[in-house]
PDB file of all heavy atoms in Angstrom:
ATOM      1  N   PHE Z 716      96.621-104.628 112.234  1.00 98.00           N
ATOM      2  CA  PHE Z 716      95.971-103.988 111.088  1.00 98.00           C
ATOM      3  C   PHE Z 716      94.692-103.292 111.542  1.00 98.00           C
ATOM      4  O   PHE Z 716      94.130-103.570 112.603  1.00 98.00           O
ATOM      5  CB  PHE Z 716      95.672-104.995 109.972  1.00 98.00           C
ATOM      6  CG  PHE Z 716      94.728-106.101 110.345  1.00 98.00           C
ATOM      7  CD1 PHE Z 716      93.347-105.915 110.320  1.00 98.00           C
ATOM      8  CD2 PHE Z 716      95.204-107.359 110.714  1.00 98.00           C
ATOM      9  CE1 PHE Z 716      92.466-106.927 110.657  1.00 98.00           C
ATOM     10  CE2 PHE Z 716      94.339-108.387 111.055  1.00 98.00           C
ATOM     11  CZ  PHE Z 716      92.959-108.169 111.026  1.00 98.00           C
ATOM     12  N   LEU Z 717      94.253-102.351 110.698  1.00 98.00           N
ATOM     13  CA  LEU Z 717      92.991-101.639 110.884  1.00 98.00           C
ATOM     14  C   LEU Z 717      92.136-101.893 109.659  1.00 98.00           C
ATOM     15  O   LEU Z 717      92.566-101.637 108.529  1.00 98.00           O
ATOM     16  CB  LEU Z 717      93.239-100.143 111.062  1.00 98.00           C
ATOM     17  CG  LEU Z 717      91.983 -99.255 111.151  1.00 98.00           C
ATOM     18  CD1 LEU Z 717      91.260 -99.495 112.464  1.00 98.00           C
ATOM     19  CD2 LEU Z 717      92.346 -97.776 111.008  1.00 98.00           C
ATOM     20  N   LEU Z 718      90.928-102.400 109.873  1.00 98.00           N
ATOM     21  CA  LEU Z 718      89.986-102.670 108.778  1.00 98.00           C
ATOM     22  C   LEU Z 718      88.857-101.658 108.857  1.00 98.00           C
ATOM     23  O   LEU Z 718      88.222-101.505 109.904  1.00 98.00           O
ATOM     24  CB  LEU Z 718      89.442-104.093 108.891  1.00 98.00           C
ATOM     25  CG  LEU Z 718      88.456-104.539 107.807  1.00 98.00           C
ATOM     26  CD1 LEU Z 718      89.160-104.656 106.462  1.00 98.00           C
ATOM     27  CD2 LEU Z 718      87.813-105.872 108.179  1.00 98.00           C
ATOM     28  N   ARG Z 719      88.622-100.951 107.747  1.00 98.00           N
ATOM     29  CA  ARG Z 719      87.524 -99.992 107.683  1.00 98.00           C
ATOM     30  C   ARG Z 719      86.563-100.399 106.569  1.00 98.00           C
ATOM     31  O   ARG Z 719      86.983-100.629 105.431  1.00 98.00           O
ATOM     32  CB  ARG Z 719      88.046 -98.578 107.436  1.00 98.00           C
ATOM     33  CG  ARG Z 719      88.787 -97.998 108.624  1.00 98.00           C
ATOM     34  CD  ARG Z 719      89.077 -96.522 108.433  1.00 98.00           C
ATOM     35  NE  ARG Z 719      90.271 -96.286 107.648  1.00 98.00           N
ATOM     36  CZ  ARG Z 719      90.682 -95.076 107.267  1.00 98.00           C
ATOM     37  NH1 ARG Z 719      89.953 -94.015 107.576  1.00 98.00           N
ATOM     38  NH2 ARG Z 719      91.797 -94.935 106.584  1.00 98.00           N
ATOM     39  N   VAL Z 720      85.274-100.483 106.897  1.00 97.00           N
ATOM     40  CA  VAL Z 720      84.252-100.912 105.945  1.00 97.00           C
ATOM     41  C   VAL Z 720      83.178 -99.829 105.864  1.00 97.00           C
ATOM     42  O   VAL Z 720      82.633 -99.397 106.890  1.00 97.00           O
ATOM     43  CB  VAL Z 720      83.614-102.252 106.368  1.00 97.00           C
ATOM     44  CG1 VAL Z 720      82.535-102.676 105.373  1.00 97.00           C
ATOM     45  CG2 VAL Z 720      84.684-103.339 106.492  1.00 97.00           C
ATOM     46  N   TYR Z 721      82.887 -99.382 104.634  1.00 97.00           N
ATOM     47  CA  TYR Z 721      81.890 -98.333 104.406  1.00 97.00           C
ATOM     48  C   TYR Z 721      80.794 -98.871 103.494  1.00 97.00           C
ATOM     49  O   TYR Z 721      81.066 -99.404 102.418  1.00 97.00           O
ATOM     50  CB  TYR Z 721      82.538 -97.105 103.763  1.00 97.00           C
ATOM     51  CG  TYR Z 721      83.602 -96.461 104.619  1.00 97.00           C
ATOM     52  CD1 TYR Z 721      84.930 -96.846 104.501  1.00 97.00           C
ATOM     53  CD2 TYR Z 721      83.274 -95.478 105.543  1.00 97.00           C
ATOM     54  CE1 TYR Z 721      85.916 -96.261 105.292  1.00 97.00           C
ATOM     55  CE2 TYR Z 721      84.259 -94.885 106.337  1.00 97.00           C
ATOM     56  CZ  TYR Z 721      85.571 -95.286 106.206  1.00 97.00           C
ATOM     57  OH  TYR Z 721      86.537 -94.708 106.987  1.00 97.00           O
ATOM     58  N   THR Z 722      79.536 -98.729 103.939  1.00 96.00           N
ATOM     59  CA  THR Z 722      78.378 -99.142 103.151  1.00 96.00           C
ATOM     60  C   THR Z 722      77.313 -98.057 103.236  1.00 96.00           C
ATOM     61  O   THR Z 722      77.361 -97.177 104.098  1.00 96.00           O
ATOM     62  CB  THR Z 722      77.795-100.467 103.675  1.00 96.00           C
ATOM     63  OG1 THR Z 722      77.606-100.368 105.100  1.00 96.00           O
ATOM     64  CG2 THR Z 722      78.720-101.637 103.378  1.00 96.00           C
ATOM     65  N   ASP Z 723      76.334 -98.138 102.345  1.00 94.00           N
ATOM     66  CA  ASP Z 723      75.269 -97.140 102.341  1.00 94.00           C
ATOM     67  C   ASP Z 723      74.372 -97.302 103.566  1.00 94.00           C
ATOM     68  O   ASP Z 723      73.952 -96.322 104.182  1.00 94.00           O
ATOM     69  CB  ASP Z 723      74.440 -97.273 101.059  1.00 94.00           C
ATOM     70  CG  ASP Z 723      73.425 -96.160 100.922  1.00 94.00           C
ATOM     71  OD1 ASP Z 723      73.817 -94.991 101.030  1.00 94.00           O
ATOM     72  OD2 ASP Z 723      72.230 -96.450 100.722  1.00 94.00           O
ATOM     73  N   ARG Z 724      74.097 -98.554 103.928  1.00 93.00           N
ATOM     74  CA  ARG Z 724      73.315 -98.852 105.120  1.00 93.00           C
ATOM     75  C   ARG Z 724      74.181 -99.634 106.103  1.00 93.00           C
ATOM     76  O   ARG Z 724      75.175-100.223 105.719  1.00 93.00           O
ATOM     77  CB  ARG Z 724      72.072 -99.665 104.758  1.00 93.00           C
ATOM     78  CG  ARG Z 724      71.082 -98.943 103.850  1.00 93.00           C
ATOM     79  CD  ARG Z 724      69.917 -99.840 103.506  1.00 93.00           C
ATOM     80  NE  ARG Z 724      68.987 -99.211 102.564  1.00 93.00           N
ATOM     81  CZ  ARG Z 724      67.962 -99.846 102.003  1.00 93.00           C
ATOM     82  NH1 ARG Z 724      67.741-101.129 102.285  1.00 93.00           N
ATOM     83  NH2 ARG Z 724      67.175 -99.214 101.142  1.00 93.00           N
ATOM     84  N   ALA Z 725      73.761 -99.631 107.366  1.00 94.00           N
ATOM     85  CA  ALA Z 725      74.531-100.325 108.398  1.00 94.00           C
ATOM     86  C   ALA Z 725      74.777-101.777 108.009  1.00 94.00           C
ATOM     87  O   ALA Z 725      73.844-102.494 107.627  1.00 94.00           O
ATOM     88  CB  ALA Z 725      73.793-100.248 109.729  1.00 94.00           C
ATOM     89  N   SER Z 726      76.035-102.195 108.078  1.00 96.00           N
ATOM     90  CA  SER Z 726      76.415-103.538 107.627  1.00 96.00           C
ATOM     91  C   SER Z 726      76.559-104.533 108.765  1.00 96.00           C
ATOM     92  O   SER Z 726      76.628-105.738 108.533  1.00 96.00           O
ATOM     93  CB  SER Z 726      77.745-103.475 106.866  1.00 96.00           C
ATOM     94  OG  SER Z 726      78.814-103.116 107.744  1.00 96.00           O
TER      95      SER Z 726
END
Side-chain angles (χ1 to χ4, degrees):
F716 62 82
L717 175 70
L718 181 68
R719 290 190 277 175
V720 179
Y721 298 91
T722 50
D723 187 52
R724 297 178 184 173
S726 67

